[in-house]
Amino acid sequence: ATFSASGVISSVSDETWKIKDGVPVDPDAMLKKLDPGYWYYNDEKKETFGVDRQLGFYAQNVNAAIGPEAEPTPETVISKAEDGTDIVTTKPWGYYDRSVLAVTVMSLQKALATIESLTARIEALEAK
């Protein structure tokens, strides 16, 4: 899903465009590391991005909370110089709102499964 600045889901990408290569091992731990908060842009950036106070995350926090379990090696990008030689650059993997949403959904799914299991156990105990 792609989100607007106000958090509205504006598009969903097609699964036929992607190759799924795994799932987070411990989404609960990732969720606990996320540190949402209120913020606004500093004097240098407010002209470009506005002065409104917002609630959200810092990219560095999302990367630290969600990134390490994924591939710790930076993404390698190879491009061509004008003379035809390869230019190899690396950049950190991207973690965005969709990463936060995915981890939250996985953690909630796990919590719901636990609630359902405990509810069944309680009902069984009460039936005795």
Side-chain angles (χ1 to χ4, degrees):
T2 302
F3 297 83
S4 70
S6 62
V8 176
I9 299 175
S10 59
S11 67
V12 178
S13 62
D14 189 326
E15 69 181 19
T16 63
W17 297 0
K18 299 175 179 176
I19 299 170
K20 187 172 183 176
D21 73 346
V23 297
V25 175
D26 193 354
D28 293 349
M30 292 173 164
L31 192 62
K32 289 176 186 176
K33 291 179 187 174
L34 289 171
D35 187 22
Y38 288 104
W39 56 272
Y40 57 92
Y41 287 102
N42 63 27
D43 289 342
E44 179 185 343
K45 299 296 180 184
K46 69 182 176 184
E47 278 293 317
T48 305
F49 298 109
V51 296
D52 296 335
R53 186 176 185 226
Q54 300 185 37
L55 175 61
F57 302 92
Y58 294 109
Q60 293 86 344
N61 171 246
V62 173
N63 192 345
I66 296 175
E69 185 185 90
E71 182 59 45
T73 304
E75 180 180 10
T76 300
V77 178
I78 301 173
S79 58
K80 294 282 185 191
E82 287 185 22
D83 65 2
T85 60
D86 287 345
I87 300 172
V88 179
T89 55
T90 59
K91 63 179 184 174
W93 289 100
Y95 299 97
Y96 310 103
D97 290 346
R98 71 181 71 184
S99 304
V100 173
L101 178 60
V103 166
T104 302
V105 167
M106 290 182 73
S107 189
L108 284 171
Q109 288 171 333
K110 187 176 170 185
L112 288 170
T114 300
I115 290 168
E116 290 168 354
S117 173
L118 291 173
T119 300
R121 293 169 107 184
I122 290 167
E123 289 172 355
L125 288 170
E126 289 176 342
K128 285 185 178 183

